[in-house]
């Protein structure tokens, strides 16, 4: 049940924030391995990007990759949030006094993220491919010809085998580990702080909401560089031997981005990342927390009645 709650919460958030994920992906690929001022700028900011995508690719294009995106949220966050909640339930994240331990929460969040990212990687890859696909005049990055999620998974499998479905996972694991560690640890600690201060009633949803705001800002700052690298690794074209056309591995990707695009290259798409991660973090953690409370109350009522 803990895993199902986590997956449902993430899907609920993912449906509403997917358009910003499309924008973020395209802005992260814009000017790939080119210095500033030496490439065409199709997407100036989040709002201009949405307008450009709708005008050129059509209104439905802002929900590109929605199906694999929701499957990714269900699988990855179901495992991530479910395993983290399980660790909370057994007290792994608490110190000897029963208080939330920030270091333990970071480790627990990172481990939960690692498991989720590893298993959900094929869906994230196809999602990235489909979200970057655009009309020629506004296309950025390598263009993949997937018509649907199943078509994409089948094409990759037929061309590169089972392991081809996990191409890019080496970039996804540190991305989600950093994001998960910062998101869940900051959320748990912030919620404990607000609850103990009794700024709001103990069981008020406002404690959860305040904690999600703190978590959203923290995770965007820490996760964006890894998110850019992950997008580049997943979306790059590959040769007949299955090797990437631009990047050999995660380290090579970091080095090449820094050399050609500078430090700012790691924060391309920061605006849509925050606009997406903010609502996504708030919605997913709010839904997750409220469903968890509901489930616990339901279980307690069952015990009392029996």
């Amino acid at each position: 049940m803990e895993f199902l709650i986590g997956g449902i919460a993430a899907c609920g958030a993912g449906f509403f924030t997917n358009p910003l994920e499309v924008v973020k992906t395209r802005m992260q690929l814009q000017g790939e391995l080119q210095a500033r001022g030496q490439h065409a700028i199709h997407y100036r900011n989040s709002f201009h990007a949405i307008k450009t995508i709708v005008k050129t690719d059509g209104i439905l294009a802002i929900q590109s990759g929605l199906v694999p995106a929701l499957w990714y949220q269900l699988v990855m966050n179901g495992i991530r949030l479910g395993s983290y909640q399980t660790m909370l339930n057994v007290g792994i994240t608490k110190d000897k006094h029963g208080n939330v331990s920030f270091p333990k929460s970071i480790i627990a969040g990172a481990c939960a993220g690692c498991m989720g990212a590893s298993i959900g990687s094929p869906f994230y890859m196809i999602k990235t491919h489909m979200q970057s696909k655009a009309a020629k005049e506004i296309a950025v990055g390598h263009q993949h010809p997937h018509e649907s999620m199943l078509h994409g998974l089948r094409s990759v499998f037929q061309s590169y085998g089972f392991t081809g479905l996990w191409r890019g996972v080496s970039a996804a694991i540190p991305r989600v580990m950093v994001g998960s560690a910062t998101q869940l640890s900051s959320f748990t600690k912030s919620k404990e702080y607000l609850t103990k201060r009794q700024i709001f009633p103990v069981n008020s949803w406002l404690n959860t909401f305040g904690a999600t705001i703190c978590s959203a800002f923290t995770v965007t700052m820490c996760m964006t560089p890894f998110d850019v690298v992950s997008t580049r690794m997943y979306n790059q074209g590959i040769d007949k031997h299955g090797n990437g056309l631009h990047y050999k591995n995660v380290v090579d990707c970091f080095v090449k981005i820094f050399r050609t695009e500078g430090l700012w290259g790691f924060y391309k798409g920061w605006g849509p990342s925050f606009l997406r991660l903010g609502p996504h973090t708030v919605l997913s953690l709010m839904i997750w927390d409220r469903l968890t409370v509901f489930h616990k109350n339901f279980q307690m009522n069952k015990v009392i009645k029996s």
Side-chain angles (χ1 to χ4, degrees):
M1 182 58 70
E2 307 291 4
F3 293 85
L4 181 61
I5 288 174
I8 292 174
C11 284
F15 178 82
F16 294 103
T17 59
N18 188 64
L20 288 167
E21 180 76 6
V22 174
V23 171
K24 180 212 70 173
T25 298
R26 295 195 185 186
M27 290 185 73
Q28 288 177 341
L29 292 169
Q30 184 170 245
E32 185 172 14
L33 297 184
Q34 298 179 63
R36 295 184 70 177
Q38 296 184 5
H39 60 84
I41 299 178
H42 301 300
Y43 314 105
R44 292 197 294 268
N45 53 54
S46 302
F47 302 105
H48 177 259
I50 291 175
K51 179 182 177 181
T52 301
I53 292 170
V54 171
K55 181 180 178 180
T56 308
D57 290 339
I59 186 80
L60 295 180
I62 62 172
Q63 282 288 18
S64 296
L66 178 62
V67 173
L70 293 181
W71 273 103
Y72 174 71
Q73 293 296 335
L74 181 65
V75 174
M76 191 279 284
N77 276 309
I79 295 170
R80 184 176 73 96
L81 296 178
S83 57
Y84 186 76
Q85 183 62 51
T86 301
M87 288 185 249
L88 289 178
N89 293 344
V90 299
I92 289 177
T93 60
K94 294 183 178 180
D95 58 24
K96 60 182 180 181
H97 302 295
N99 298 316
V100 174
S101 169
F102 196 62
K104 288 183 178 180
S105 296
I106 290 176
I107 295 172
C111 291
C114 180
M115 289 187 285
S118 299
I119 297 174
S121 184
F123 297 110
Y124 193 90
M125 178 176 67
I126 300 303
K127 173 196 76 71
T128 303
H129 291 177
M130 294 182 70
Q131 289 176 340
S132 65
K133 185 179 179 182
K136 185 178 180 180
E137 56 266 36
I138 61 168
V140 291
H142 189 82
Q143 297 291 289
H144 298 268
H146 309 322
E147 298 298 331
S148 65
M149 182 185 77
L150 291 178
H151 176 255
L153 290 171
R154 185 170 58 249
S155 297
V156 173
F157 177 77
Q158 290 175 345
S159 299
Y160 306 105
F162 185 74
T163 56
L165 295 172
W166 268 265
R167 181 171 60 86
V169 71
S170 60
I173 290 176
R175 169 189 176 271
V176 179
M177 284 182 70
V178 170
S180 182
T182 53
Q183 182 193 59
L184 295 178
S185 60
S186 59
F187 169 74
T188 304
K189 196 65 178 179
S190 298
K191 186 182 177 185
E192 182 192 55
Y193 176 83
L194 292 172
T195 303
K196 284 189 174 182
R197 290 280 178 170
Q198 295 186 354
I199 299 172
F200 308 111
V202 175
N203 294 320
S204 173
W205 64 271
L206 290 172
N207 292 314
T208 303
F209 181 74
T212 60
I213 296 298
C214 295
S215 178
F217 182 77
T218 304
V219 71
T220 304
M221 289 301 298
C222 296
M223 185 179 173
T224 298
F226 296 91
D227 197 28
V228 172
V229 170
S230 181
T231 297
R232 300 282 182 89
M233 290 286 289
Y234 272 119
N235 194 71
Q236 70 171 332
I238 50 180
D239 60 24
K240 61 182 181 181
H241 302 295
N243 299 316
L245 297 179
H246 295 306
Y247 317 106
K248 299 176 183 177
N249 49 50
V250 175
V251 175
D252 183 54
C253 186
F254 267 104
V255 171
K256 285 182 176 177
I257 290 175
F258 182 74
R259 284 179 175 174
T260 56
E261 302 171 55
L263 186 62
W264 177 244
F266 294 112
Y267 281 91
K268 282 186 173 179
W270 188 92
S273 287
F274 180 73
L275 291 175
R276 171 198 168 268
L277 280 171
H280 189 277
T281 298
V282 171
L283 287 170
S284 61
L285 293 184
M286 282 286 292
I287 296 171
W288 173 54
D289 185 79
R290 294 296 92 188
L291 286 177
T292 300
V293 171
F294 175 79
H295 180 242
K296 286 182 177 179
N297 291 338
F298 179 74
Q299 292 294 96
M300 287 179 64
N301 290 333
K302 282 181 63 177
V303 172
I304 293 171
K305 288 181 181 180
S306 63

